Amino acid sequence: MPGDDGREGSELEDPPVVLELKKLDDQYLELLKEEEKVLADIQTKYEEKFFPLWKERSEILKKKSGDEAKDRTGTPGEPGFWLRVLSNSENSDVESVGEWIFDYDEPVLQYLQDMRYEWLDPLGKTGFRLIMDFAENPFFENTQLVKTYHTEVKNQFLTESEITKVSINEPIKWKPKQDVTVELVEQKAKKGGKKKKGGGGSKKVEVARPSFFRKFFRALAPGDDVPEDEMDESDDEDDMDPGEMIEMLIQDDYDAGVALRDTIIPHAVRFYTGEACNEEGDDDDDDDDDDDDDDDSDDEDEDEDSSSDDGPKGKGKGRGKGKSKAKDLFQNKSDDAAGPQQECKQQ
């Protein structure tokens, strides 16, 4: 819009007061960068102390037991450790991949040896990678699967990073007839087609099915086609266009990755025992709340409908190193409340 003197906005000079305020803001931005560097250095300092603890945890879990059956798993010291950790995380207050695990995924996850993360840059501005180490197994050739979350600070005045894409370093190299992300189904021959001798007019074909290894180990980026299994899976997103659906999937994936990085990997043993699960009875409380909501007046329902967001979740946000703190699941918990919970698998 032209100013009082007829010049366009891009040609207008800021008033002296605004110029003075901008100088103050420039000083603030410099201090903010200094603060971020200090906080990142502090986090790096403590991660250098955290990581050896988790490496020792890995060595304890990989220690051979002398039992041939146990020693063929990823964690002979406590067979199925990471499978139970991931499964139990579904019953906690963090975004979880537990609900992505199906029965046929479980034998594969028995071979998971360790999980860890790495930052892509010293400040954590450009993202992080999750690394899963696997023991030699009958399902795939890979001994390591790596997933990378790419983030970017798109506005210097907003310190949060935005998730831009999710990438996979290399695809899973499934051994013959061991791919758990597909199943064989009977397919009838088309009418008019020639029947093979002894074929009975049908054949078995591989069809994709839901799986942790399909959903977690897939690349996602704006402009990608929506995965076919996601199109069939949800009715809630029927009104979304493909771009919105992809944005939502990237957001959900990023949230799950951050939960693994900040909470599940550090506190793995607490998820294994169930101490990090929701308190017993939370589900009942939620049901009661739902019943109360059903009794609300029509006017309140209309207000909720008018204020609801029909679009996808917002883009994933992150604060980089030193500014993304995991929720302390154990803070203020009494010793009596810290025991294993009913919803989680127990030892």
Side-chain angles (χ1 to χ4, degrees):
M1 175 184 288
D4 293 337
D5 57 1
R7 290 179 298 170
E8 295 294 332
S10 60
E11 300 172 350
L12 291 174
E13 292 185 4
D14 291 321
V17 171
V18 173
L19 289 173
E20 190 173 356
L21 295 177
K22 282 189 173 181
K23 287 180 181 179
L24 292 175
D25 192 58
D26 288 340
Q27 293 178 48
Y28 170 75
L29 287 173
E30 290 303 313
L31 289 171
L32 192 62
K33 291 177 182 177
E34 183 181 327
E35 178 199 29
E36 289 176 347
K37 175 68 167 58
V38 170
L39 291 174
D41 288 344
I42 291 173
Q43 183 164 338
T44 298
K45 173 184 175 181
Y46 279 92
E47 282 179 337
E48 288 173 354
K49 298 179 180 181
F50 298 157
F51 292 165
L53 296 177
W54 301 338
K55 184 175 181 181
E56 184 176 352
R57 174 182 67 190
S58 177
E59 293 303 318
I60 291 171
L61 289 169
K62 287 190 290 186
K63 190 174 181 180
K64 299 289 185 180
S65 66
D67 184 313
E68 187 177 348
K70 288 183 178 180
D71 290 348
R72 284 200 299 265
T73 68
T75 54
E78 194 66 34
F81 178 82
W82 287 104
L83 168 61
R84 183 180 293 180
V85 168
L86 296 177
S87 297
N88 280 356
S89 68
E90 183 179 359
N91 300 303
S92 70
D93 290 329
V94 298
E95 191 72 26
S96 168
V97 298
E99 63 183 14
W100 302 351
I101 299 173
F102 292 81
D103 290 345
Y104 38 83
D105 294 317
E106 294 184 0
V108 190
L109 288 170
Q110 291 280 355
Y111 290 91
L112 180 55
Q113 284 184 321
D114 194 23
M115 292 185 67
R116 61 188 189 278
Y117 67 86
E118 294 175 351
W119 296 97
L120 300 187
D121 68 279
L123 292 178
K125 293 283 190 180
T126 57
F128 64 95
R129 63 176 61 93
L130 291 176
I131 303 163
M132 290 187 175
D133 294 318
F134 284 84
E136 184 178 349
N137 63 81
F139 298 98
F140 49 68
E141 301 289 346
N142 315 63
T143 57
Q144 190 176 88
L145 298 176
V146 182
K147 179 174 187 173
T148 305
Y149 295 92
H150 302 269
T151 59
E152 179 183 346
V153 179
K154 295 187 176 182
N155 187 330
Q156 65 171 323
F157 307 113
L158 302 175
T159 58
E160 292 181 330
S161 302
E162 290 187 5
I163 178 69
T164 55
K165 66 177 181 177
V166 181
S167 64
I168 304 300
N169 284 31
E170 67 173 352
I172 300 175
K173 300 173 183 176
W174 294 100
K175 295 180 179 180
K177 298 182 180 180
Q178 297 299 318
D179 186 350
V180 298
T181 70
V182 297
E183 61 182 336
L184 289 175
V185 298
E186 199 86 7
Q187 187 180 69
K188 293 182 179 179
K190 295 181 179 179
K191 290 183 179 180
K194 293 182 179 179
K195 296 182 179 180
K196 295 182 179 180
K197 291 183 179 180
S202 64
K203 62 178 181 179
K204 288 188 175 181
V205 295
E206 281 190 351
V207 176
R209 65 180 177 182
S211 166
F212 169 80
F213 292 94
R214 176 177 297 281
K215 187 155 185 167
F216 192 70
F217 292 104
R218 67 182 177 194
L220 291 169
D224 284 355
D225 292 333
V226 177
E228 193 171 325
D229 55 310
E230 295 291 346
M231 296 295 291
D232 298 335
E233 193 173 279
S234 177
D235 296 329
D236 296 336
E237 287 81 33
D238 285 345
D239 295 333
M240 285 189 187
D241 64 36
E244 291 176 327
M245 177 75 83
I246 285 293
E247 186 175 313
M248 185 196 71
L249 293 174
I250 294 173
Q251 163 73 24
D252 290 346
D253 201 316
Y254 179 68
D255 289 345
V258 169
L260 284 166
R261 182 195 73 195
D262 290 348
T263 307
I264 298 172
I265 291 175
H267 296 298
V269 69
R270 306 297 183 174
F271 283 91
Y272 180 79
T273 62
E275 292 170 72
C277 290
N278 287 331
E279 293 292 338
E280 190 174 355
D282 278 1
D283 292 340
D284 293 337
D285 292 340
D286 291 340
D287 290 340
D288 291 341
D289 290 341
D290 291 340
D291 292 339
D292 291 340
D293 290 340
D294 291 338
D295 294 334
D296 287 345
S297 66
D298 292 340
D299 290 341
E300 289 173 338
D301 290 340
E302 289 175 4
D303 290 340
E304 290 174 3
D305 290 340
S306 63
S307 63
S308 64
D309 183 6
D310 293 330
K313 296 180 181 178
K315 291 182 180 179
K317 302 288 185 180
R319 285 182 175 269
K321 289 181 73 172
K323 290 202 172 184
S324 180
K325 299 298 181 184
K327 178 180 179 182
D328 187 356
L329 295 176
F330 316 109
Q331 187 175 12
N332 298 327
K333 272 195 175 183
S334 66
D335 293 338
D336 292 337
Q341 303 303 321
Q342 185 177 3
E343 293 88 347
C344 291
K345 296 179 182 178
Q346 304 302 320
Q347 298 184 61

